[in-house]
Amino acid sequence: MTPVIQVKNLKKYFPIVKGIIRKKYSYIRAVDGVSFSIEMGETFGLVGESGSGKSTIARLLLRLIEPTEGEILFKGKDITKLSKGELREVRKNMGIVFQDPASSLNPRNTVYDTLLRPLKLHGIPKDEAEERIHKVIESVNLGEELLGRYPHQLSGGQQQRVSIARAIILNPEFVVLDEPTSALDVSVQAQILNLLLDLQREFRLTYLFISHDLSVVRYISDRIGVMYLGNLFEVAPTERLYTHAFHPYTVGLMSSAPILNPRLRSRKKLLLSGEPPSLINPPSGCPLHPRCPFAKSICREKKPELVEVERDHFVACHRAGEIDFSEFLGGESVG
């Protein structure tokens, strides 16, 4: 079966310019050679610290920004090579939900106008558009009385439901969820997550779910990728990652999360020293080696490749399998 999304050696370097003539003198390496795939009907979670490149990948997958290098295959077709007209057709099958619903909705448009716009852009007839709007509002558990309201007249949870409705109104196969619950209260987060799961089952959606909240990602994802400094360090099925992580950064990321279960609070934590290095001048070899307590000379000299260490479990670490992380990990939730 062909994956819905395949990413191959994806790179995005943002140029840094200075002076009157805007001369380029360096680059921010936001995404630096990332590869992964997402199967049909799957939720692939992407986690990492702020600045790790997660949101840049989200925008690259929909070609909202252009990649510096690499391939982005949607159902086997490389969208980086498509013309604007061809890309428009492909985007019917893609949607995105942004982090802050208030800023992603046009304050001058009613809910009805917000939902109508993508249908008009893609030439959906008026009668069918009306039918879709009423159906999608019902699907996200909002009343039709809200169609005439403006974003400022809605709660945060209602605004995000409208954003989700807009993302799925064209019946896409693939939806990017860029931290869709981080701006919401905890109780509302749970409602939105359950709504996303219900919609996935109803419409057979495939998700890329981006978040820095480990408990949220664990709840919704089938597989998880861990990013650091524009690099993908580990990819594994969700429960396998949480109980048998191979990369020191993954373990350190989990150690930094609050532990809600009192029985697990005495568990040893793996602390990474210092701050993440600059994206403009990243370290040689493994990007983590200046902070990693297990780094050896090879870590400073050679950048590790993402390799399969066990079935469906990929790690980019020279010491994968050498270190026992069992004292830092456990089978229960760490977030």
Side-chain angles (χ1 to χ4, degrees), residues 39-227:
E39 301 294 329
M40 184 174 293
E42 179 183 35
T43 299
F44 184 80
L46 206 55
V47 299
E49 296 171 276
S50 296
S52 61
K54 307 184 301 297
S55 292
T56 302
I57 285 181
R59 284 151 180 77
L60 286 168
L61 292 192
L62 275 69
R63 237 184 90 181
L64 299 178
I65 55 177
E66 297 296 328
T68 303
E69 189 178 313
E71 298 178 53
I72 305 167
L73 277 66
F74 177 72
K75 299 178 70 175
K77 181 181 292 185
D78 188 355
I79 68 169
T80 65
K81 294 180 170 61
L82 299 183
S83 66
K84 287 185 177 180
E86 292 170 328
L87 183 61
R88 185 173 179 174
E89 286 301 308
V90 169
R91 279 188 178 151
K92 286 183 181 179
N93 292 310
M94 297 177 164
I96 185 167
V97 178
F98 295 99
Q99 177 177 356
D100 183 4
S103 62
S104 69
L105 298 174
N106 189 330
R108 297 183 179 181
N109 285 350
T110 63
V111 172
Y112 178 87
D113 293 333
T114 295
L115 298 178
L116 180 63
R117 179 170 172 76
L119 298 172
K120 288 179 68 175
L121 287 174
H122 289 281
I124 304 300
K126 186 175 180 181
D127 290 345
E128 184 181 344
E130 288 281 343
E131 184 180 341
R132 286 200 190 190
I133 288 172
H134 291 284
K135 182 180 178 181
V136 80
I137 275 290
E138 181 182 351
S139 296
V140 297
N141 300 326
L142 289 176
E144 293 188 3
E145 70 276 4
L146 299 183
L147 287 172
R149 295 188 186 178
Y150 291 89
H152 73 273
Q153 297 173 310
L154 307 175
S155 68
Q158 289 172 332
Q159 290 173 348
Q160 196 61 298
R161 288 172 188 267
V162 173
S163 297
I164 294 169
R166 178 179 58 185
I168 66 171
I169 199 165
L170 289 169
N171 299 322
E173 295 178 55
F174 175 62
V175 179
V176 174
L177 303 163
D178 189 4
E179 306 218 29
T181 61
S182 63
L184 306 174
D185 294 337
V186 174
S187 59
V188 181
Q189 284 185 17
Q191 296 172 17
I192 296 298
L193 289 174
N194 289 326
L195 171 65
L196 290 170
L197 290 171
D198 291 341
L199 292 172
Q200 185 175 40
R201 286 188 288 266
E202 181 179 355
F203 297 105
R204 298 181 180 179
L205 298 171
T206 302
Y207 290 151
L208 172 66
F209 189 94
I210 294 170
S211 181
H212 62 273
D213 189 324
L214 293 170
S215 59
V216 167
V217 173
R218 185 175 189 175
Y219 179 74
I220 199 170
S221 302
D222 300 300
R223 286 188 305 134
I224 295 176
V226 181
M227 286 199 69

Side-chain angles (χ1 to χ4, degrees), residues 242-311:
Y242 276 81
T243 56
H244 295 86
F246 280 96
H247 203 290
Y249 178 72
T250 305
V251 180
L253 196 64
M254 293 178 182
S255 292
S256 67
I259 298 175
L260 302 182
N261 189 334
R263 291 178 295 169
L264 299 178
R265 287 176 184 164
S266 60
R267 191 172 62 205
K268 192 173 180 181
K269 292 190 175 186
L270 175 59
L271 301 178
L272 302 174
S273 60
E275 297 292 327
S278 169
L279 286 167
I280 300 173
N281 187 27
S284 60
C286 175
L288 187 68
H289 86 254
R291 304 177 65 195
C292 180
F294 307 103
K296 290 188 172 182
S297 58
I298 189 174
C299 303
R300 293 183 285 273
E301 298 164 2
K302 183 181 178 182
K303 185 176 179 179
E305 296 182 3
L306 193 70
V307 296
E308 190 171 19
V309 293
E310 58 183 30
R311 186 178 178 182

